[in-house]
Amino acid sequence: MNARDHATTTARGSDLARQIVVLSAVSFMLIAAVIGSGAFGNTAVEDQQGGALDTDGSYLAPAGPAFSIWSVIYLGLIAYAVWQALPRQRASARQRAMGWPIAVTMVLNGLWLVAARFGTLFLTVVVIVLLLAALGWAFRTAVVTRDPRGGVVDSVLIDGVTGLHLGWVTLATVANTAAWLTTVVPPSWEDAADAIGVAVLVVVALIGLAIAWRSDWRVAPALALAWGLSWLAVERLTGEPTSTPIAIAAVIVALVVLLPPLAVSGLRLIRPSID
């Protein structure tokens, strides 16, 4: 196996099918994203489900600018879909391992937007939990099949993009679930919103650290998670509903999940033998 094509020597009939499926999956995701953005005059995502998915839909919703990370993730997925379709990637062992899981995440990404537009709020929770599970599978596969000879493009478009997707959807799952619960629990529960929100963020910290540990301290998931947590803090300090305890907890958790992977990465740059 060489660094240029990271491939096995013989292509299989299923390899072309895999490439086509990935291209079809990213096309479906993009069509769903355009519709979900309200580009054709329909209701945008944040205004669907009675506004439950907007930044004021729950105590755990991040501020609007946080969602700009989708542009980075989508561009990365588009670039991956084009790159994996190149002839020299067809018989790649790495692509054989990663193409199908990433295609599943693209489809579920699009299905979430369909569920938000045409389904129920509970259905969006079901779909995003499935998306989170698929991303966990995809990212774990990326880590296990990692080949240091794969090159920068391989690292960025597989490990990097999948990691960002996983980190962001981890927080998005929390926000989506909180939005749904806000519509079904008794109003009296709001008196305990600060305590519940802080407790949930503690769990998020544990999940973020677990992802980092299981991925050999990859930085990408932590970056996306810390990004979302930072904007959650901004929204709780400047938006509605306001919660200073949740905002402070969000900042602390962002540091907790981000600093260890950054520290390990820094040590590896200084002392490569640490691996």
Side-chain angles (χ1 to χ4, degrees):
M1 187 181 296
N2 59 49
R4 183 184 169 203
D5 56 18
H6 197 203
T8 54
T9 56
T10 305
R12 306 169 185 166
S14 59
D15 291 329
L16 178 59
R18 183 197 68 244
Q19 291 178 305
I20 294 172
V21 167
V22 171
L23 289 171
S24 300
V26 78
S27 299
F28 169 71
M29 180 190 73
L30 292 174
I31 291 170
V34 170
I35 295 174
S37 70
F40 295 129
N42 54 293
T43 306
V45 170
E46 63 270 20
D47 298 321
Q48 294 170 12
Q49 301 297 329
L53 298 172
D54 205 349
T55 56
D56 60 356
S58 79
Y59 280 84
L60 295 174
F67 297 91
S68 63
I69 195 173
W70 277 124
S71 298
V72 178
I73 293 170
Y74 280 7
L75 286 173
L77 290 173
I78 293 168
Y80 169 76
V82 173
W83 174 64
Q84 66 83 39
L86 298 175
R88 66 174 179 269
Q89 295 295 328
R90 183 164 300 164
S92 166
R94 175 90 149 139
Q95 298 299 348
R96 285 174 177 168
M98 292 306 308
W100 298 107
I102 292 178
V104 170
T105 67
M106 291 173 178
V107 170
L108 287 169
N109 192 312
L111 285 176
W112 185 89
L113 291 161
V114 172
R117 177 70 178 86
F118 300 106
T120 63
L121 194 55
F122 177 71
L123 183 58
T124 66
V125 174
V126 172
V127 176
I128 204 167
V129 169
L130 291 174
L131 174 57
L132 180 61
L135 283 165
W137 166 43
F139 194 59
R140 182 59 183 163
T141 302
V143 171
V144 170
T145 62
R146 182 76 182 98
D147 187 329
R149 297 170 299 176
V152 174
V153 175
D154 180 283
S155 296
V156 171
L157 295 185
I158 294 182
D159 298 70
V161 174
T162 306
L164 287 176
H165 203 174
L166 172 61
W168 172 250
V169 170
T170 297
L171 185 63
T173 301
V174 172
N176 197 162
T177 303
W180 168 63
L181 288 174
T182 299
T183 66
V184 298
V185 300
S188 59
W189 281 37
E190 188 169 4
D191 296 335
D194 288 347
I196 294 172
V198 170
V200 170
L201 289 175
V202 171
V203 175
V204 170
L206 295 175
I207 293 172
L209 289 173
I211 292 172
W213 173 58
R214 291 290 290 169
S215 66
D216 197 25
W217 304 101
R218 298 294 199 279
V219 175
L223 285 173
L225 193 50
W227 167 265
L229 287 163
S230 299
W231 283 109
L232 192 161
V234 170
E235 184 64 18
R236 295 290 70 78
L237 288 174
T238 63
E240 293 292 340
T242 302
S243 173
T244 300
I246 291 177
I248 293 172
V251 171
I252 293 172
V253 172
L255 293 173
V256 166
V257 300
L258 181 59
L259 291 181
L262 286 179
V264 172
S265 297
L267 287 173
R268 285 175 175 167
L269 287 174
I270 298 170
R271 297 170 53 196
S273 60
I274 196 173
D275 290 330

